[in-house]
Amino acid sequence: MSCCLGYALVDGNEAAFSVDVSAITFGPGVLREAGEQLRALGAKRVALFTDAGLAKLEHVEVARKSVAATGLDVAVYDEVHVEPTDMSFRAAAQFAKDGRFDGYLSVGGGSVIDTCKAAALYATYPAELRAYVNAPVGEGRAVPGPLPPHVACPTTCGTGSECTGIAVFDDLELKAKTGIASRRLRPSLALVDPTATRTLPAMVVAASGFDVLCHALESYTARPFTARTAPAGPGARPMSQGRNPWSDVGSVEALRLAGRYLVRAVRDASDEEAREGLAWAATLAGIAFGNAGVHLPHAMSYAVAGLVRDYRCPGYPQHEALVPHGVSVVVGAPAVFRATAATSPERHLAAAAALGCDVRGASPADAGEILAGTLRERMRDTGVPMGLRALGYAESDLEALARGAVVQKRLVDNAPLPVAHEQMRALFAGALADG
């Protein structure tokens, strides 16, 4: 039987999809509304989360003054770690617990927003860190109840964290990224001020832009929601439910915008149209993957970032090895989409077309290579590292990379085809060959 929205229904499987979104206010200058918005949400004592670099820029001061002007008490936490770790999550949670805050404001990229989510969670419902972390790395315990209001103000154009219930960090012991996922982590309000991206270095724009692009691609090509077994009740319906009619709309438009604006936004910081368009693409892709989930490129990225040895990326802190999230995602994406194209060649071709590729006359058999080639062309155009070798990896790392990725069950299970250890290893081998 076919759903009227274009998805085939299967007896015994899911027949419904959920739409969960943050409230969103988008536009130049909306950062100045942070104080009024928090007061309207009932906050009186606010924790403002940011990182040390951003704390020196005007965006944080604009937000802080906005909160103070409304008469709310505000305390700044500027020790967020770029690409958070279990240690930095614990430190932030201790600050939040000691401060007894009833409202949260995050001004920064995904690292800041995710850290703020985690801090609010552990301050409100104290537990050992891995209690709420996704299984099998952690217990996967459900968040017990609602969290204080959180207004998220992104200063990058990529993560979409302001629209999702996901908080990601590096587990230093496991040398892999993992995360916490719950609808209750979703910020109460996303204040998206595209002018906050004007000061971003080119490589930061490129990395965050490829995160946008992969969010949209992975949501659009994920396992369909109708492939899941029907849940026992509405509360058991997963947040990452698979692609669905709602996520399709946001994914395609985000791809179209990224195809038009990504390269321009990287090459010219003064191109306000491009950076605003990319910021809107990030918001749309965040809404899409917040309801559909992502899959293999993100699963692989957790291992790529967690096992880094010496790589340092221009535009990011240089005191430690670090692979920016968007870079760690996109280096594996061409190999993944070559492999997944057979599951839905029409979608892979449509995605390539949305990114600006001329697919007229292409056959279904061409879909994977066309989409992979389109991605690689955009990577070259923006100076992003091509393949795993550019990040310092070699054949001897394939086993460890595969082990670190295959345990990301929430992501791997959302892929449109089954992937066990050997298949994951083959994907990493493909990403190594893309160098």
Side-chain angles (χ1 to χ4, degrees), residues 8-92:
L9 301 183
V10 180
D11 287 344
N13 280 10
E14 179 66 278
F17 61 94
S18 296
V19 177
D20 297 304
V21 296
S22 298
I24 298 166
T25 300
F26 184 101
V30 298
L31 194 56
R32 292 190 293 269
E33 298 180 5
E36 289 291 344
Q37 297 284 7
L38 280 160
R39 185 170 66 176
L41 290 166
K44 295 181 179 178
R45 177 163 167 74
V46 176
L48 193 167
F49 277 72
T50 191
D51 65 47
L54 282 167
K56 301 171 185 175
L57 301 179
E58 64 175 325
H59 317 307
V60 172
E61 186 61 11
V62 167
R64 190 197 65 76
K65 287 183 176 178
S66 172
V67 176
T70 61
L72 305 182
D73 187 15
V74 58
V76 176
Y77 183 80
D78 62 3
E79 298 177 28
V80 168
H81 191 277
V82 177
E83 301 297 333
T85 68
D86 49 349
M87 290 178 60
S88 72
F89 265 19
R90 289 188 180 96

Side-chain angles (χ1 to χ4, degrees), residues 324-345:
H325 177 62
V327 173
S328 69
V329 173
V330 77
V331 291
V336 167
F337 293 115
R338 289 189 193 101
T340 59
T343 67
S344 56

Side-chain angles (χ1 to χ4, degrees), residues 6 21 27 38 43 47 61 74 94 110 125 131-132 144 157 193 199 228 276 304 346 363 367 370 373 392:
V21 296
L38 280 160
E61 186 61 11
V74 58
Q94 190 63 52
Y125 304 106
Y132 301 115
C157 38
D193 186 339
T199 57
R228 296 188 180 277
E276 183 169 324
V304 171
E346 73 290 345
S363 73
I370 286 174

